[in-house]
Amino acid sequence: MISVLLADDQSLVRAGFRALLDAQPDIEVAGEAADGEEAVARVRELRPDVVLMDIRMPRRDGLAATRLITADPELGTVKVVMLTTFELDEYVFEAIRSGASGFLVKDTEPDELLRAVRAVVAGDALLSPGVTRRLIEEFAARSRPPAGGAAAPLAQLTDREREVMALVGLGLSNEEIARRLVVSPLTAKTHVSRTMVKLGARDRAQLVVLAYESGLVRPGWLG
């Protein structure tokens, strides 16, 4: 069973998500939180697989709550998915940098929400490649220049792993990477997994952030 924590200050939103999620045979709602402070406490108590976290909440907003959760080594298996009203909310980029595994708009289709919950637990990309690329384009335009020494962690990667990481940074799925490199999808997935382990990345979203911040991928390469 996939356990989910719902963190949103609107009870009606939580009730709608709970009804949808609890109706699935492989998903259960472990608990709810009405603000960021409560969300962090509930995550530490319940250790859910996924947190659906609203960005704007009282007491502690979703970004601050996400930073606390993702910075805690004991909560390393918890995946945070940010909920936003707009697809390219200005806070989405900071959310990904803060350790969120992705984001969803609140009015997303039910099937897409369910697919996203299952996908993030499996470590897959939350969004379709097209939407992912759009997000990455926006992220790249707003990202900070590579810091001095930011590329140092990449020294532990093989040439192939650096190549794969760059393709992940461009928004390619495992299948697309496999076709680009003429390898099997399983081989591509293995390279992605090994790269994440070596760099300590929680998921593909963080791998994208590292690809840009290390200078391995640069804004404009998607054009």
Side-chain angles (χ1 to χ4, degrees):
M1 291 288 285
I2 298 172
S3 59
V4 179
L5 178 75
L6 303 175
D8 195 294
D9 61 337
Q10 298 181 36
S11 58
L12 190 59
V13 171
R14 298 198 308 272
F17 283 156
R18 175 181 279 276
L20 174 64
L21 296 170
D22 275 343
Q24 307 308 306
D26 60 333
I27 301 175
E28 64 177 358
V29 175
E32 300 182 15
D35 58 60
E37 196 78 29
E38 185 181 8
V40 174
R42 296 290 276 165
V43 167
R44 287 173 175 159
E45 173 193 355
L46 301 171
R47 306 294 172 94
D49 298 308
V50 181
V51 182
L52 295 181
M53 179 89 73
D54 188 21
I55 287 182
R56 297 173 182 82
M57 290 188 293
R59 291 216 293 168
R60 189 188 298 275
D61 66 26
L63 290 174
T66 297
R67 291 190 199 99
L68 286 175
I69 292 168
T70 58
D72 189 337
E74 294 187 3
L75 303 177
T77 61
V78 179
K79 305 293 186 182
V80 179
V81 177
M82 306 302 298
L83 299 172
T84 178
T85 305
F86 304 104
E87 193 169 81
L88 288 179
D89 187 294
E90 62 180 293
Y91 295 108
V92 164
F93 313 102
E94 188 59 34
I96 298 297
R97 198 189 294 277
S98 298
S101 297
F103 74 98
L104 288 171
V105 289
K106 286 188 177 182
D107 61 353
T108 189
E109 293 295 324
D111 286 348
E112 178 69 12
L113 173 65
L114 296 173
R115 187 185 72 80
V117 169
R118 294 179 178 118
V120 73
V121 170
D124 297 331
L126 271 182
L127 306 168
S128 66
V131 175
T132 301
R133 290 192 187 101
R134 251 194 9 260
L135 170 62
I136 291 171
E137 285 175 342
E138 291 289 332
F139 177 82
R142 298 166 185 238
S143 64
R144 298 188 294 264
L154 270 58
Q156 61 188 305
L157 303 181
T158 65
D159 289 343
R160 177 46 62 93
E161 288 166 349
R162 288 167 66 94
E163 188 176 13
V164 167
M165 180 177 175
L167 295 175
V168 171
L170 293 176
L172 272 62
S173 66
N174 288 343
E175 289 73 19
E176 291 171 319
I177 292 172
R179 288 196 294 272
R180 180 76 65 91
L181 300 180
V182 195
V183 298
S184 72
L186 179 59
T187 298
K189 182 176 182 179
T190 298
H191 283 311
V192 172
S193 297
R194 286 176 179 169
T195 302
M196 288 170 54
V197 169
K198 286 184 178 181
L199 297 179
R202 292 169 62 95
D203 47 44
R204 292 176 79 99
Q206 280 206 318
L207 207 56
V208 170
V209 173
L210 291 171
Y212 278 104
E213 294 191 335
S214 67
L216 185 64
V217 177
R218 298 187 185 118
W221 286 15
L222 288 163

